[in-house]
Amino acid sequence: MTFLAIRSLELEIGYPVLAVLQALGAALEREGFASRLKGRPHRQEKEASGGR
């Protein structure tokens, strides 16, 4: 049921929601969100701005 709802959203917005959620999950397993907020703010700001 959940995957059908996600697929419906993907079709509606034309974006691979499930793939994004999987990639986010993998990234958060490598480094948790709390540590991303605390550590290396310069890296985060640079990445958030597309490397600028």
Side-chain angles (χ1 to χ4, degrees):
M1 190 75 141
T2 301
F3 290 106
L4 290 174
I6 292 171
R7 182 66 182 138
S8 174
L9 286 169
E10 289 177 332
L11 292 171
E12 183 176 334
I13 66 172
Y15 203 79
V17 176
L18 187 56
V20 171
L21 293 174
Q22 290 171 332
L24 281 170
L28 290 171
E29 284 180 2
R30 288 188 297 275
E31 182 182 355
F33 193 72
S35 67
R36 290 170 185 271
L37 289 175
K38 287 188 222 175
R40 301 176 289 198
H42 180 69
R43 181 201 84 194
Q44 293 169 350
E45 291 171 10
K46 187 174 180 179
E47 289 176 358
S49 67
R52 292 176 228 133

